[in-house]
Amino acid sequence: MNNSAGVPSPHVTVSLEGVRRGARAISPVLVGQLPYATVVGLSAQAHGFSMLEAALMSGLMFAGAAQLLALGAWVYPPPIFGTTLAATMVNLRFVLMGPLMAPWMDHLRGWKRWGLLFFLVDNAWAMSVQEIEKGKRDAGFLLGAGLVLWFFWVTGTMAGFLVGDFVAPPPGHPLFFAALAVFIAMLVPLWKGRRDILPWITAAATAALVSHLMPGTAWHVVAGAIAGSFVGLLQTWAGKAYAA
Amino acid sequence: MRLDPWIVLAIVSMALATYATRAGGYWLFSRFDPPQAVRIMLSYVPGTLFVSFVTPSIINGGVKEWIGAVATLLVATRTKSPAWPIAIGTGAAWIIFEMR
């Protein structure tokens, strides 16, 4: 992963030109992001957040899946440990995404490196990986793409909040199904074929059981993900044993 | 505008955890090679996690959620756009809601 060792250090910059290029490249993605931000704002409003709290959540977390998950299982007062652990689980994919930024980050220091990593979101990351593969050395690209997504993420959340305020849909209204639909739709690109059958069934069964035993918490998400991934590990080991 | 201390605490705590995953992955993998078992389990995390999130809500829901879920899945398998499955799935749930 770390390719800085022994390689002459390429000059990695964070230039305004790179910021502009990143901002331009990411713009088409906004069409998909805005409805998602609206749903986050709508859910926050329905769970009794103030608009400032909703904007704060989007501005500081900048992680749609984790935010919707937290809002989906929201109770007041919030169980800090449980919600934080669930958010960490949802965001574990970032742990796998970060290392691919090494060709840029290894050559940056201080706020440039650690500040840029804040903007590691799915689409900005995917486009930055392509830039790195093309041999580009301007990390401003990630900053530009991330800033545009961040700005519309926060304003989109506030817009969704106002919609919720105006329409004031009662609990159980089908508008809230949108938050669930976001995740159901996400399952399709995540499905990698037969290898997912057993882990997904395990996850579903575990989550159903835990949510029945501990209603009103987010533990079913954590338990289901761990149980399902563990079955995936066992299956991989067993598959290797048979294949050998 | 109101800022509830509990809500702010939860938000800040989740935000710190989120940043830790963003910066921590780069930091960790640039220093250590994680065991193969950890890598394999992590590769299963996104899918199993979202399955765990939606299953109880669908099971505990009603006809509205079931029809909406099927519609969302059907559209998602036929388009790469993130917006259409959400819009049509929610629309289907709404139609069922209005019919009952």
Side-chain angles (χ1 to χ4, degrees):
Chain A
M1 285 297 168
N2 191 338
N3 58 1
S4 64
V7 180
S9 165
H11 190 58
V12 173
T13 55
V14 181
S15 81
L16 196 60
E17 167 57 21
V19 172
R20 283 207 199 97
R21 270 172 21 81
R24 258 198 308 273
I26 205 75
S27 298
V29 172
L30 289 173
V31 183
Q33 190 196 259
L34 273 174
Y36 196 5
T38 312
V39 174
V40 169
L42 195 70
S43 307
Q45 195 275 342
H47 285 98
F49 279 51
S50 69
M51 189 153 106
L52 187 59
E53 286 159 354
L56 196 68
M57 187 193 215
S58 281
L60 293 181
M61 288 180 73
F62 192 25
Q67 287 177 243
L68 274 187
L69 190 91
L71 289 169
W74 193 258
V75 285
Y76 188 90
I80 307 288
F81 181 67
T83 46
T84 303
L85 189 65
T88 310
M89 294 290 294
V90 187
N91 291 327
L92 273 181
R93 67 184 188 284
F94 293 140
V95 173
L96 297 175
M97 284 160 51
L100 277 88
M101 292 289 109
W104 281 349
M105 298 306 161
D106 286 352
H107 303 289
L108 298 172
R109 289 283 169 272
W111 72 266
K112 282 186 182 167
R113 177 193 280 176
W114 302 113
L116 273 180
L117 282 168
F118 174 79
F119 294 101
L120 199 78
V121 285
D122 305 64
N123 291 311
W125 170 79
M127 285 189 179
S128 296
V129 169
Q130 291 167 26
E131 287 280 299
I132 289 173
E133 283 169 355
K134 281 188 244 159
K136 305 271 192 203
R137 285 166 186 176
D138 195 338
F141 186 92
L142 175 62
L143 181 61
L147 275 176
V148 168
L149 290 179
W150 184 85
F151 178 78
F152 284 100
W153 182 245
V154 176
T155 48
T157 302
M158 291 162 83
F161 187 94
L162 290 177
V163 170
D165 228 4
F166 184 69
V167 183
H173 190 276
L175 261 182
F176 296 115
F177 179 79
L180 192 59
V182 167
F183 292 103
I184 296 173
M186 222 178 261
L187 289 175
V188 171
L190 285 172
W191 173 257
K192 295 198 183 69
R194 274 178 45 202
R195 65 160 235 162
D196 282 327
I197 297 175
L198 273 180
W200 284 27
I201 290 175
T202 309
T206 309
L209 179 70
V210 173
S211 80
H212 181 71
L213 297 174
M214 304 165 80
T217 68
W219 288 108
H220 59 278
V221 184
V222 178
I226 290 176
S229 304
F230 187 65
V231 165
L233 175 66
L234 294 180
Q235 170 189 275
T236 308
W237 280 347
K240 271 193 190 130
Y242 283 119
Chain B
M1 222 177 270
R2 182 175 55 89
L3 273 183
D4 179 274
W6 275 110
I7 293 182
V8 172
L9 185 63
I11 289 172
V12 169
S13 174
M14 287 190 288
L16 287 175
T18 303
Y19 179 74
T21 58
R22 287 186 166 124
Y26 163 74
W27 182 83
L28 199 69
F29 281 62
S30 70
R31 272 159 190 77
F32 312 101
D33 248 343
Q36 188 66 19
V38 173
R39 284 176 186 270
I40 294 172
M41 275 188 75
L42 281 175
S43 78
Y44 283 99
V45 165
T48 53
L49 185 118
F50 292 125
V51 167
S52 307
F53 178 70
V54 301
T55 305
S57 303
I58 295 173
I59 291 178
N60 299 331
V63 182
K64 165 171 68 104
E65 279 77 13
W66 301 336
I67 302 278
V70 171
T72 308
L73 275 178
L74 280 178
V75 179
T77 53
R78 277 158 184 75
T79 169
K80 281 209 163 111
S81 141
W84 283 114
I86 301 167
I88 295 177
T90 307
W94 205 324
I95 291 169
I96 303 298
F97 177 77
E98 294 293 340
M99 275 165 48
R100 309 185 102 221

